[in-house]
Amino acid sequence: MTIEIRPAVPSDAAQILTFITELAEYEKARHEVIASVADIQRSLFGEGATAHGLICSRDGVPIGFAVFFFSYSTWLGSNCLYLEDLYINPEQRGGGAGKKLLRHLAKIAFDNGCGRFEWSVLDWNEPAIAFYKSIGAQPQEEWVRYRMEGDALRDFALG
């Protein structure tokens, strides 16, 4: 079976949203997905889009995706690649697709002179944590991630 990875194109927006929804269900957060196909088309493929998508297929059938963007490290003085989401269908896991997709992203980071390749994982997701450690990734436990969204973001911005 052949695993292929290619850049996502606008016609992939519905498939990407399906994968996002499946990932959210796995992460017990389906209720938080409010994105529409139009949102995906605009944010990944519209003018000025800063995020990028990849589609992972096995024998021509999409089985997963990744969304990433470039960030910046002042300490390194270089760009970094941040992986927002990576998902492989549960029935396709264990066959090398996730590792191939991560390696593809690492190559994008390396080819673009990125000083880091980073992502987040839920603390209860032991299979993913074990997988990430097996490929040499290390947790950054001294950093605590913060988020501002919705009403809090609006209220603070308009403060």
Side-chain angles (χ1 to χ4, degrees):
M1 293 191 195
T2 303
I3 298 170
E4 296 175 344
I5 298 166
R6 63 168 174 79
V9 295
S11 61
D12 292 318
Q15 179 65 71
I16 290 170
L17 183 57
T18 297
F19 286 145
I20 289 168
T21 303
E22 290 174 9
L23 175 60
E25 287 173 8
Y26 175 75
E27 292 181 344
K28 302 169 180 55
R30 170 62 182 95
H31 61 283
E32 294 183 34
V33 177
I34 61 170
S36 68
V37 171
D39 292 329
I40 301 302
Q41 288 173 330
R42 178 185 42 74
S43 62
L44 284 181
F45 307 109
E47 187 176 329
T50 59
H52 310 277
L54 298 172
I55 297 292
C56 180
S57 299
R58 185 179 305 255
D59 297 327
V61 177
I63 62 168
F65 85 114
V67 170
F68 67 96
F69 58 88
F70 293 97
S71 60
Y72 185 77
S73 169
T74 56
W75 290 7
L76 295 177
S78 72
N79 287 330
C80 302
L81 189 145
Y82 188 84
L83 173 60
E84 178 63 26
D85 276 331
L86 183 145
Y87 175 78
I88 300 295
N89 287 335
E91 61 274 7
Q92 296 292 330
R93 293 179 191 156
K99 187 173 187 177
K100 187 167 184 174
L101 191 49
L102 273 173
R103 182 166 280 133
H104 187 92
L105 289 156
K107 185 163 179 2
I108 290 170
F110 181 79
D111 289 349
N112 283 278
C114 293
R116 291 186 186 133
F117 173 23
E118 297 179 304
W119 61 91
S120 297
V121 62
L122 291 166
D123 60 2
W124 57 260
N125 193 344
E126 289 298 326
I129 292 168
F131 172 66
Y132 297 146
K133 287 182 177 179
S134 79
I135 62 169
Q138 298 296 313
Q140 299 297 297
E141 295 169 356
E142 68 274 17
W143 294 96
V144 177
R145 202 169 135 173
Y146 282 81
R147 175 181 296 170
M148 187 179 290
E149 63 185 354
D151 292 341
L153 175 60
R154 183 198 66 229
D155 293 349
F156 187 70
L158 300 176

XYZ file of all heavy atoms in Angstrom, residues 50-92:
342
model
N -2.134 32.162 6.219
C -0.813 31.890 6.798
C -0.660 30.442 7.254
O 0.439 30.031 7.611
C -0.547 32.823 7.993
O -1.565 32.629 8.974
C -0.502 34.276 7.547
N -1.757 29.698 7.250
C -1.689 28.279 7.606
C -1.645 27.447 6.332
O -2.094 27.882 5.266
C -2.892 27.895 8.460
N -1.106 26.250 6.465
C -0.940 25.348 5.326
C -1.487 23.981 5.703
O -1.423 23.578 6.861
C 0.536 25.211 4.959
C 1.234 26.520 4.804
N 1.188 27.248 3.639
C 1.961 27.252 5.680
C 1.881 28.370 3.803
N 2.349 28.398 5.035
N -1.989 23.260 4.714
C -2.514 21.926 4.964
C -1.832 20.886 4.114
O -1.343 21.171 3.020
N -1.813 19.676 4.645
C -1.318 18.515 3.917
C -2.387 17.433 3.980
O -3.075 17.297 4.999
C -0.036 17.968 4.552
C 1.179 18.881 4.599
C 2.289 18.257 5.437
C 1.677 19.161 3.176
N -2.507 16.666 2.930
C -3.402 15.521 2.889
C -2.541 14.269 2.781
O -1.641 14.191 1.939
C -4.377 15.598 1.686
C -5.288 16.809 1.806
C -5.181 14.301 1.559
C -6.293 16.755 2.941
N -2.855 13.305 3.628
C -2.175 12.013 3.602
C -3.153 10.993 3.034
O -4.281 10.874 3.529
C -1.751 11.633 5.019
S -0.884 10.055 5.131
N -2.731 10.284 1.996
C -3.583 9.287 1.344
C -2.882 7.942 1.300
O -1.649 7.869 1.243
C -3.912 9.707 -0.095
O -4.611 10.922 -0.115
N -3.684 6.909 1.334
C -3.172 5.550 1.116
C -3.911 5.011 -0.100
O -5.137 4.969 -0.123
C -3.418 4.661 2.328
C -2.787 3.294 2.187
C -3.036 2.433 3.413
N -2.586 3.085 4.625
C -1.477 2.783 5.312
N -0.697 1.822 4.885
N -1.173 3.429 6.406
N -3.145 4.651 -1.115
C -3.717 4.159 -2.371
C -4.773 5.101 -2.922
O -5.836 4.681 -3.388
C -4.285 2.750 -2.182
C -3.208 1.750 -1.800
O -2.055 1.916 -2.256
O -3.506 0.822 -1.035
N -4.513 6.408 -2.819
C -5.383 7.419 -3.391
C -6.570 7.827 -2.540
O -7.328 8.714 -2.926
N -6.747 7.212 -1.379
C -7.873 7.528 -0.494
C -7.359 8.339 0.690
O -6.451 7.883 1.405
C -8.556 6.233 0.008
C -9.678 6.562 0.979
C -9.063 5.417 -1.169
N -7.911 9.545 0.917
C -7.450 10.345 2.061
C -7.681 9.612 3.385
O -8.774 9.100 3.649
C -8.308 11.609 1.991
C -8.740 11.691 0.560
C -8.918 10.261 0.129
N -6.613 9.553 4.196
C -6.705 8.882 5.499
C -6.307 9.810 6.650
O -6.415 9.427 7.808
C -5.847 7.604 5.548
C -4.351 7.929 5.350
C -6.337 6.589 4.522
C -3.414 6.781 5.664
N -5.833 11.011 6.329
C -5.430 11.935 7.377
C -5.008 13.267 6.810
O -5.010 13.487 5.591
N -4.655 14.148 7.743
C -4.257 15.492 7.342
C -3.342 16.089 8.405
O -3.217 15.589 9.513
C -5.488 16.377 7.161
C -5.992 17.015 8.441
C -5.948 18.389 8.617
C -6.495 16.239 9.475
C -6.408 18.967 9.785
C -6.963 16.815 10.645
C -6.911 18.191 10.808
N -2.738 17.203 8.041
C -1.985 18.035 8.974
C -2.219 19.489 8.586
O -2.372 19.800 7.402
C -0.492 17.719 8.938
N -2.262 20.346 9.590
C -2.321 21.794 9.383
C -1.175 22.394 10.188
O -0.981 22.049 11.362
C -3.677 22.389 9.821
C -3.624 23.906 9.830
C -4.790 21.905 8.902
N -0.419 23.276 9.556
C 0.748 23.871 10.213
C 0.905 25.318 9.784
O 0.290 25.766 8.819
C 2.015 23.071 9.891
C 2.430 23.133 8.438
C 3.390 24.041 8.013
C 1.855 22.286 7.503
C 3.774 24.104 6.681
C 2.233 22.338 6.165
C 3.194 23.246 5.760
N 1.739 26.032 10.525
C 2.080 27.403 10.165
C 3.486 27.689 10.667
O 4.033 26.952 11.482
C 1.066 28.413 10.719
C 0.904 28.378 12.213
C 1.711 29.143 13.039
C -0.070 27.570 12.794
C 1.553 29.117 14.418
C -0.235 27.536 14.161
C 0.584 28.313 14.976
N 4.055 28.757 10.154
C 5.386 29.162 10.584
C 5.249 30.202 11.688
O 4.452 31.130 11.598
C 6.199 29.709 9.408
C 6.520 28.645 8.403
C 5.744 28.488 7.264
C 7.575 27.769 8.613
C 6.013 27.490 6.348
C 7.855 26.758 7.707
C 7.073 26.620 6.569
N 5.999 30.005 12.741
C 6.063 30.952 13.846
C 7.492 31.503 13.887
O 8.277 31.257 12.968
C 5.684 30.265 15.164
O 6.578 29.194 15.440
N 7.811 32.196 14.950
C 9.142 32.800 15.045
C 9.671 32.678 16.471
O 8.921 32.851 17.436
C 9.081 34.283 14.659
C 10.441 34.935 14.615
C 11.299 34.717 13.549
C 10.876 35.741 15.654
C 12.555 35.302 13.506
C 12.129 36.324 15.619
C 12.975 36.103 14.536
O 14.211 36.675 14.509
N 10.942 32.360 16.597
C 11.598 32.313 17.892
C 12.583 33.470 17.998
O 13.554 33.531 17.236
C 12.356 30.994 18.085
O 13.196 31.085 19.230
N 12.322 34.367 18.939
C 13.266 35.467 19.151
C 14.578 34.939 19.713
O 15.641 35.478 19.400
C 12.670 36.509 20.117
O 12.297 35.869 21.335
C 11.476 37.204 19.492
N 14.519 33.910 20.526
C 15.740 33.368 21.116
C 16.643 32.721 20.078
O 17.863 32.823 20.154
C 15.419 32.352 22.207
C 14.825 32.977 23.436
C 14.448 34.280 23.604
C 14.521 32.327 24.655
N 13.933 34.468 24.849
C 13.967 33.275 25.532
C 14.649 31.022 25.093
C 13.560 32.970 26.813
C 14.241 30.713 26.370
C 13.703 31.682 27.227
N 16.025 32.062 19.094
C 16.820 31.441 18.040
C 17.104 32.406 16.897
O 18.029 32.184 16.115
C 16.091 30.219 17.470
C 15.868 29.039 18.412
C 15.077 27.955 17.694
C 17.185 28.492 18.934
N 16.258 33.438 16.777
C 16.387 34.339 15.637
C 16.061 33.633 14.335
O 16.673 33.902 13.307
N 15.081 32.736 14.409
C 14.706 32.006 13.201
C 13.225 31.638 13.229
O 12.587 31.654 14.278
C 15.532 30.721 13.058
O 15.135 29.754 14.009
N 12.731 31.303 12.047
C 11.382 30.779 11.957
C 11.325 29.396 12.592
O 12.351 28.709 12.725
C 10.933 30.684 10.496
C 10.631 32.036 9.906
O 10.228 32.955 10.601
N 10.838 32.162 8.604
N 10.118 28.998 12.951
C 9.852 27.667 13.484
C 8.604 27.151 12.789
O 7.828 27.925 12.236
C 9.608 27.724 14.991
S 10.986 28.437 15.916
N 8.406 25.862 12.801
C 7.190 25.287 12.250
C 6.346 24.798 13.412
O 6.834 24.064 14.273
C 7.503 24.133 11.304
C 6.309 23.601 10.505
C 6.774 23.162 9.116
C 5.606 22.472 11.196
N 5.085 25.239 13.455
C 4.168 24.791 14.498
C 3.085 23.935 13.851
O 2.392 24.371 12.934
C 3.519 25.973 15.238
C 2.731 25.472 16.418
C 3.366 25.228 17.630
C 1.387 25.183 16.300
C 2.665 24.719 18.706
C 0.668 24.669 17.375
C 1.326 24.439 18.575
O 0.628 23.916 19.630
N 2.965 22.719 14.332
C 1.950 21.783 13.868
C 0.691 21.989 14.692
O 0.669 21.712 15.888
C 2.459 20.347 14.024
C 1.469 19.222 13.754
C 0.945 19.289 12.325
C 2.137 17.883 14.040
N -0.342 22.507 14.068
C -1.608 22.753 14.764
C -2.385 21.463 14.964
O -2.889 21.204 16.044
C -2.440 23.775 13.978
C -3.788 24.069 14.586
C -3.708 24.704 15.973
O -2.708 25.365 16.293
O -4.673 24.535 16.735
N -2.511 20.671 13.924
C -3.245 19.408 14.014
C -2.627 18.383 13.081
O -2.199 18.710 11.973
C -4.714 19.580 13.608
C -5.603 20.068 14.729
O -5.304 19.787 15.906
O -6.606 20.738 14.424
N -2.635 17.143 13.547
C -2.275 15.992 12.729
C -3.260 14.897 13.094
O -3.504 14.652 14.283
C -0.842 15.534 13.009
C -0.351 14.368 12.134
C 1.125 14.530 11.835
C -0.628 13.026 12.752
N -3.819 14.251 12.093
C -4.806 13.211 12.342
C -4.693 12.141 11.282
O -4.567 12.441 10.086
C -6.212 13.818 12.317
C -7.326 12.810 12.448
C -7.651 12.272 13.681
C -8.052 12.401 11.343
C -8.679 11.338 13.812
C -9.085 11.485 11.454
C -9.393 10.948 12.694
O -10.402 10.035 12.815
N -4.738 10.889 11.728
C -4.825 9.726 10.847
C -6.040 8.933 11.308
O -6.226 8.707 12.510
C -3.550 8.851 10.929
C -2.301 9.639 10.523
C -3.700 7.583 10.082
C -2.239 10.092 9.079
N -6.873 8.478 10.361
C -8.037 7.665 10.710
C -7.618 6.522 11.632
O -6.580 5.894 11.391
C -8.674 7.055 9.455
C -9.413 8.050 8.616
O -9.865 9.077 9.088
N -9.539 7.742 7.335
N -8.404 6.232 12.660
C -8.029 5.169 13.604
C -7.727 3.831 12.940
O -6.767 3.152 13.327
C -9.255 5.054 14.520
C -9.885 6.401 14.464
C -9.647 6.908 13.068
N -8.499 3.459 11.920
C -8.261 2.160 11.269
C -6.981 2.144 10.441
O -6.509 1.084 10.040
C -9.463 1.736 10.418
C -9.815 2.671 9.301
C -10.750 3.817 9.706
O -11.050 4.006 10.896
O -11.170 4.544 8.796
N -6.386 3.301 10.203
C -5.150 3.404 9.418
C -3.913 3.595 10.295
O -2.794 3.632 9.782
C -5.251 4.565 8.428
C -6.326 4.383 7.388
C -6.013 3.263 6.421
O -4.848 2.961 6.138
N -7.041 2.620 5.900
